Amino acid sequence: MNCKEFEKKIPAYIEQKLPYAELKEFCRHAGQCGECKEELTIQYLTTEGIQRLEDGGAFDLQKELDQHEADARRRIRFHDVFLHFGLALEVMAVSVIFGVVIWILA
Ligand SMILES: [Zn+2]
C-alpha cells in the first residue's frame, strides 16, 4: 500500500469498515510511514472530535486512537490465527482424502 492509497482508506479505518486484508496493509503502512501516521491521527482527531463536540461529551481522543489501533491489531491477530487454523484443517483434510484414496487403491 502506498501513501495515496493509505490516505483514501483513512475514513474507512476510522469507521472500522476496512476488510481484514486491507486493515492489515493499512496498519503495516501506519507502522512504517510517519507522515501517514500523522495524517491518520489528524483525521481521526478531526472526525471524532467534531462528533464529540456535537455530542457534548468529554473526550480523550489520543487515548481513543490508541485504543482503536489496539482493536485493529487484535482483529488482525485473530484473523491470522484463524487463517493458519483453517490452513491446517485444509492440509489435514487433503491428507485424509489422500490416505483414503491410497487405501482404496491398495
Ligand atoms: Zn505513507
Side-chain angles (χ1 to χ4, degrees), residues 29-42:
H29 190 90
Q32 290 168 344
C33 183
E35 272 176 51
C36 284
K37 171 93 186 176
E38 202 176 308
E39 178 65 26
L40 171 64
T41 307
I42 291 166

Side-chain angles (χ1 to χ4, degrees), residues 44-45 59-70:
Y44 186 83
L45 296 183
F59 50 88
D60 183 351
L61 286 174
Q62 186 57 53
K63 199 174 149 199
E64 283 182 32
L65 179 59
D66 292 343
Q67 187 62 42
H68 201 87
E69 280 174 16

Side-chain angles (χ1 to χ4, degrees), residues 4-103:
K4 228 185 168 98
E5 287 167 339
F6 183 91
E7 214 172 302
K8 262 192 275 179
K9 291 187 198 311
I10 289 177
Y13 173 78
I14 292 174
E15 289 171 32
Q16 300 192 313
K17 281 180 182 158
L18 278 184
Y20 160 70
E22 287 177 26
L23 184 66
K24 198 172 174 177
E25 289 292 308
F26 189 92
C27 286
R28 188 183 298 155
H29 190 90
Q32 290 168 344
C33 183
E35 272 176 51
C36 284
K37 171 93 186 176
E38 202 176 308
E39 178 65 26
L40 171 64
T41 307
I42 291 166
Q43 288 209 27
Y44 186 83
L45 296 183
T46 325
T47 310
E48 290 292 308
I50 289 168
Q51 186 63 43
R52 230 41 75 79
L53 282 176
E54 283 172 358
D55 294 347
F59 50 88
D60 183 351
L61 286 174
Q62 186 57 53
K63 199 174 149 199
E64 283 182 32
L65 179 59
D66 292 343
Q67 187 62 42
H68 201 87
E69 280 174 16
D71 282 349
R73 272 197 297 275
R74 207 164 38 236
R75 261 186 294 159
I76 289 171
R77 230 177 10 245
F78 177 79
H79 274 271
D80 279 346
V81 168
F82 195 73
L83 276 183
H84 289 147
F85 188 65
L87 195 68
L89 278 183
E90 220 165 277
V91 168
M92 230 150 64
V94 169
S95 307
V96 168
I97 291 167
F98 202 64
V100 168
V101 168
I102 288 178
W103 182 72

